[in-house]
Amino acid sequence: MAEVVIIGSGFAGLCMGIKLQQAGCEDFVILEKADDLGGTWRDNTYPGCACDIPSYLYSFSFEQNPRWTRMFAPWDEILAYLRHCADKYGIAGKIRYGAEVTEAVFDEATGHWTVTVNGDETIETQALVTGVGSLHEPKLPDIPGLDSFGGTTFHSAQWDHSADLRGRNVAVIGTGASAIQFVPQLAGEVAQLDLYQRTPPWVTPKPDRAIGRWERKLHERFPAGQRTIRNAIYWGLEGRGAGFAGNPKLMKGLEIQAKRHLRKQITDPELRAKLTPDYQIGCKRVLISNDYYPALTRPNVDVVTTPIARITPTGVVTADGTERACDAIVHGTGFAVSANLTRMPILGKDGVDLADHWKRNGIGAHLGITVAGYPNLFLLVGPNTLLGHSSMIFMIEAQVRYVMQALHLLRRRNATYVEVREDAQEQFVTGVQGELGDTVWNAGCTSWYLDASGRNSTIWPEWTMSYWRRTRRLDPSDFAVVH
Ligand code: NAP
């Protein structure tokens, strides 16, 4: 029996553990299916992998890191930061590795969840918190013949570092946030890189720079200075959010910046035409890079825009019948977003799996955190809490604060369980869906923000400040407190 079970040891799970520990709750365990902590920053180790939100902000507010060596820290620094946090706040020993949650079942009589680990062991808990991430399960493209390929092949989130791609012919499928980071690294070392682009991304300059030794020392001595920079970055990005949420004038500015960036870096009109997006900026994640376009101008790089028809044992065939031979295929094709929240059966009050419940009623949760029918269950990075413009760590901290209040309510009232009221959830979900309405995220293009039916259950459509405000104080009247 544990008072709280947390699933996942990425930013979300660790933040939850730290806050429980700080509140004096020792009776919790973090279940991690892998053999190390770090979530997405453990899995994504591809060349060039780095944060695309400035690290001053992409970090916990309560643990500023004076050691960042760049404005946009590489993955290994972020992973080291997470390890540091787990050690410093004394929760490293609370993590159980190799512990995959395979089922969770709620019992109404006791208010407890029975969590099955690795299919055989069970742990009973009063509260279950999921921090399983939303960009986690690699999605391979659905292309005929994919399995027949005889060369090396892997997904960007499962980079095969044992594969030596130097001097080889490599095909890359996808031009999203991951590919844009690893393509420039690969281009310099492979013989030939064929980049298969389905949709050109909007790309703006990356305001990156090294953070020198003296600056780092200064941050160490005067943390208030670093905090001031963090705040300035926060408000800068928050201002951009206003554009996403419906101010076309602000989006126009971003579009002009992206087009100027493209013009400046790509002089060949044919290549420039291929790389010019024909959809509204902001409907997919706006990417930042200074070295992506220059990499595409290299003589050993071809941007292929003809759709892929099939894959053969030796290469890629496009719809015009051309076969391009390659030794390796790297998939930069993103993640199965909706699968993540439903990767293990979570059976609520009526014994209904959350996945089925959502299939029937649409994906939704009150504030993205609690679901009616699933008492004492709390989702971190749940539905409609992802951001297109700012730091997810800010959202995670707001969610953890809210969950702490829910746990406090449970304890203070000596309740069996707390369950969000259906009407409170409905009001929230309807409000968010209404706000998403015809924003750029819904109407601009097709993207992984939208599910097969066109519903957007990923994006938070308001300012992050408004999410902070709405989650700051849990309203007990939103919950049924059952004894
Ligand atoms: P992504 O943004 O979903 O991009 C996937 C790419 O693969 C897109 O260009 C997509 O084209 C293409 N694609 C998918 N299926 C295809 C197919 N069958 N044939 C051809 N092309 C196909 O995935 P990602 O780049 O891995 O990034 C996912 C998310 O992870 C990002 O949006 C971001 O939130 C996060 N991320 C963050 C960072 C960071 O620094 N913080 C870094 C990397 C990733 P379409 O556009 O046509 O669908």
Side-chain angles (χ1 to χ4, degrees):
M1 173 80 195
E3 196 174 335
V4 184
V5 165
I6 301 165
I7 312 176
S9 66
F11 264 104
L14 291 179
C15 185
M16 190 71 231
I18 290 170
K19 290 298 160 187
L20 280 171
Q21 183 95 332
Q22 286 180 332
C25 170
E26 293 274 340
D27 189 15
F28 69 93
V29 62
I30 302 176
L31 301 177
E32 170 54 62
K33 69 177 163 46
D35 57 4
D36 195 3
L37 57 75
T40 194
W41 299 105
R42 171 200 62 227
D43 293 346
N44 285 274
T45 63
Y46 57 77
C49 179
C51 190
D52 65 4
I53 295 291
S55 301
Y56 287 118
L57 185 61
Y58 194 83
S59 44
F60 294 128
S61 62
F62 54 84
E63 185 59 27
Q64 288 293 280
N65 179 13
R67 295 171 298 280
W68 300 125
T69 62
R70 298 201 69 82
M71 282 302 274
F72 296 84
W75 69 272
D76 49 345
E77 278 188 33
I78 302 173
L79 189 56
Y81 167 76
L82 287 175
R83 289 206 179 103
H84 159 82
C85 291
D87 288 339
K88 175 169 173 182
Y89 292 93
I91 59 158
K94 296 281 192 186
I95 308 172
R96 259 190 66 188
Y97 295 107
E100 177 166 13
V101 174
T102 45
E103 191 182 58
V105 181
F106 182 71
D107 176 20
E108 200 174 347
T110 59
H112 289 175
W113 284 91
T114 302
V115 178
T116 307
V117 181
N118 296 332
D120 45 26
E121 185 197 345
T122 56
I123 303 175
E124 215 172 299
T125 182
Q126 190 173 26
L128 180 61
V129 183
T130 69
V132 295
S134 56
L135 300 169
H136 173 80
E137 230 158 85
K139 191 181 78 192
L140 291 180
D142 185 15
I143 301 173
L146 191 66
D147 292 338
S148 72
F149 183 65
T152 305
T153 180
F154 51 84
H155 186 274
S156 59
Q158 296 165 335
W159 198 271
D160 181 356
H161 291 280
S162 70
D164 187 1
L165 301 179
R166 281 174 302 178
R168 316 300 295 276
N169 294 340
V170 177
V172 171
I173 303 178
T175 52
S178 302
I180 200 173
Q181 293 184 333
F182 69 74
V183 162
Q185 311 292 319
L186 273 189
E189 62 176 35
V190 300
Q192 171 67 27
L193 193 157
D194 294 328
L195 177 61
Y196 292 88
Q197 172 190 275
R198 190 163 66 181
T199 314
W202 284 101
V203 184
T204 59
K206 184 174 186 175
D208 197 11
R209 66 175 177 82
I211 299 170
R213 205 157 55 90
W214 284 108
E215 204 175 343
R216 297 204 296 270
K217 273 204 174 343
L218 213 62
H219 289 333
E220 213 159 334
R221 287 282 302 273
F222 306 104
Q226 187 174 9
R227 190 162 290 281
T228 306
I229 301 174
R230 176 187 165 96
N231 290 343
I233 293 168
Y234 173 78
W235 287 110
L237 293 179
E238 195 71 341
R240 217 167 100 175
F244 280 90
N247 187 335
K249 270 195 200 136
L250 288 174
M251 295 311 277
K252 197 72 204 157
L254 201 60
E255 185 179 322
I256 290 169
Q257 190 190 25
K259 282 190 168 157
R260 194 183 301 137
H261 189 49
L262 176 63
R263 258 199 321 274
K264 204 167 135 199
Q265 294 201 313
I266 305 282
T267 50
D268 172 12
E270 200 183 320
L271 181 59
R272 194 191 288 166
K274 279 185 183 176
L275 297 173
T276 304
D278 64 355
Y279 56 90
Q280 213 180 338
I281 193 166
C283 72
K284 292 173 191 276
R285 195 178 178 91
V286 178
L287 307 185
I288 50 171
S289 176
N290 300 329
D291 55 5
Y292 177 64
Y293 287 147
L296 306 187
T297 65
R298 295 176 63 99
N300 66 331
V301 176
D302 281 327
V303 179
V304 183
T305 54
T306 313
I308 299 172
R310 64 197 157 86
I311 288 174
T312 69
T314 51
V316 180
V317 180
T318 43
D320 56 4
T322 309
E323 172 160 12
R324 290 176 182 81
C326 59
D327 306 304
I329 300 178
V330 182
H331 300 287
T333 42
F335 300 87
V337 181
S338 56
N340 298 306
L341 289 162
T342 52
R343 46 180 293 128
M344 74 285 279
I346 299 179
L347 309 186
K349 233 167 57 174
D350 301 326
V352 177
D353 183 4
L354 183 59
D356 293 332
H357 173 73
W358 276 345
K359 236 179 254 161
R360 245 175 269 147
N361 306 299
I363 297 176
H366 181 56
L367 295 164
I369 302 172
T370 52
V371 185
Y374 297 79
N376 293 0
L377 171 71
F378 306 97
L379 314 174
L380 302 176
V381 194
N384 289 109
T385 65
L386 253 71
L387 301 175
H389 70 285
S390 190
S391 172
M392 273 312 295
I393 315 308
F394 181 87
M395 299 295 274
I396 286 170
E397 283 192 50
Q399 290 164 6
V400 167
R401 194 181 307 114
Y402 187 86
V403 176
M404 289 300 294
Q405 293 177 60
L407 296 177
H408 189 60
L409 180 69
L410 191 62
R411 200 186 261 193
R412 203 178 60 226
R413 302 263 187 101
N414 202 15
T416 304
Y417 62 76
V418 291
E419 179 186 4
V420 69
R421 292 186 190 282
E422 236 167 81
D423 54 343
Q425 180 180 325
E426 185 54 32
Q427 198 182 357
F428 173 79
V429 172
T430 311
V432 164
Q433 289 302 326
E435 277 174 58
L436 278 162
D438 55 2
T439 59
V440 65
W441 297 296
N442 274 20
C445 61
T446 53
S447 72
W448 59 257
Y449 296 154
L450 308 174
D451 66 18
S453 69
R455 183 186 161 98
N456 188 331
S457 55
T458 51
I459 284 285
W460 171 248
E462 296 176 21
W463 302 68
T464 62
M465 184 47 70
S466 99
Y467 188 77
W468 175 84
R469 198 173 35 72
R470 289 171 76 162
T471 48
R472 195 161 68 105
R473 297 231 185 289
L474 176 143
D475 181 353
S477 70
D478 285 343
F479 287 85
V481 180
V482 177
H483 290 92

